[in-house]
Amino acid sequence: TPLEWARRRRAERGARRVEAAGARAIGQLDHLGPSWHVVEWPRTDPDAQLLDLDRSGQHDRAGFLAIGPSGLFAVTIADHGRSRVLVAGDVVQINGKRPAYVAEARRDAKRASKALTAAVGMPIPVTPVLTFVGSGDISVYGLPKDCLVATHRELDRLLVAGGNRISPATAEKLSRVAQHPSTWMNGSYRPAADYRWYEDGRTAADKRASHR
C-alpha cells in the first residue's frame, strides 16, 4: 500500500543516515593505529533477531565495539542531526523527547561483557560509551555514572584517556573473539590464559619484580 511504501522509504533513509553517522564516528578512530580494532556486533539478542523485533529507538542508533590498549568499549551512536541535546545525568532530551540512550548503552555493554566473558572464560569488562553525531548544540548539566559521553569528534581522545590496561596482543585476540559468530551465541572460543591484563597504574612496559 502507499502507506507501507512510505514507511519503507522513511526506514531506508533513516538507515542510511545512521550508517553515515556510524561511519563518521569510526573514521575518527582511524588514526589511533593498528593497536585499536573496531568490530561490528549484533546489538540485539538472538531471539529478537529471529523474530525481527527492534527495541525502542533502535532505528536511529548504531554502534560498534572499540577494542584497544585502554580496554573494551561498547560505542552507541545517536544521530541528533541539527537538534539540540540536553544531558542531565541519565536523562537525554532531544526535541522534547527523552530516549533511553544511557540505559540502552549500559545494556549493550553489559551484554557484550557477558558474551565475551563466557567466550574466553575470564571477566571481560566493557565500558558503555554514548556518542552523539550531529551539528546541534549539546548542553551537559551532569554526566551519567558508569557511562562515558562524547561527540564523535572527541571519541578518539576519550577512548585513549584511560591509558594502557591491556596489551596490544590481547586487544587483537579479543577483537578476533568479538568477530566470531559463536561468541554471541553463547559459544566458547579461547582459553583465558591467552589474555594478559594489567592492574590500574601499570602498563605493558612495566616489569614484575623478581624475587631471589
Side-chain angles (χ1 to χ4, degrees):
T1 65
L3 180 58
E4 292 174 343
W5 177 84
R7 287 175 176 172
R8 285 198 302 269
R9 290 297 301 271
R10 184 164 59 249
E12 291 172 357
R13 288 196 298 269
R16 288 195 296 268
R17 187 184 72 247
V18 170
E19 182 179 359
R24 291 173 65 183
I26 292 175
Q28 194 68 21
L29 307 182
D30 285 345
H31 65 278
L32 291 181
S35 60
W36 279 88
H37 310 270
V38 174
V39 180
E40 294 184 1
W41 64 293
R43 297 168 63 247
T44 56
D45 294 332
D47 292 341
Q49 288 182 320
L50 291 174
L51 296 175
D52 195 26
L53 297 177
D54 284 335
R55 290 172 296 182
S56 176
Q58 185 74 22
H59 65 282
D60 60 352
R61 293 190 303 117
F64 54 86
L65 290 177
I67 304 174
S70 298
L72 288 81
F73 303 86
V75 181
T76 296
I77 305 297
D79 179 16
H80 63 97
R82 300 178 180 178
S83 302
R84 183 183 179 186
V85 179
L86 300 177
V87 179
D90 290 359
V91 178
V92 176
Q93 181 169 308
I94 304 175
N95 291 332
K97 298 180 179 179
R98 295 186 176 182
Y101 286 157
V102 174
E104 291 171 0
R106 288 185 180 132
R107 185 161 55 243
D108 286 342
K110 183 176 181 180
R111 177 172 174 264
S113 176
K114 182 178 179 180
L116 292 170
T117 295
V120 303
M122 66 177 296
I124 304 295
V126 178
T127 302
V129 180
L130 178 58
T131 302
F132 291 100
V133 177
S135 58
D137 294 333
I138 300 178
S139 301
V140 179
Y141 299 95
L143 293 173
K145 295 181 180 180
D146 303 323
C147 181
L148 303 179
V149 178
T151 66
H152 75 282
R153 298 182 182 88
E154 305 167 333
L155 183 58
D156 55 338
R157 296 191 296 272
L158 178 67
L159 296 186
V160 300
N164 294 333
R165 296 181 179 273
I166 61 177
S167 68
T170 295
E172 182 179 358
K173 292 175 183 177
L174 288 172
S175 71
R176 292 201 296 266
V177 174
Q179 294 174 30
H180 203 280
S182 66
T183 296
W184 309 106
M185 301 298 293
N186 298 323
S188 60
Y189 192 78
R190 289 174 179 266
D194 288 342
Y195 305 90
R196 184 175 180 183
W197 294 75
Y198 301 99
E199 300 176 355
D200 291 342
R202 294 180 62 89
T203 67
D206 296 331
K207 296 182 179 179
R208 294 183 177 181
S210 60
H211 299 279
R212 296 182 178 179

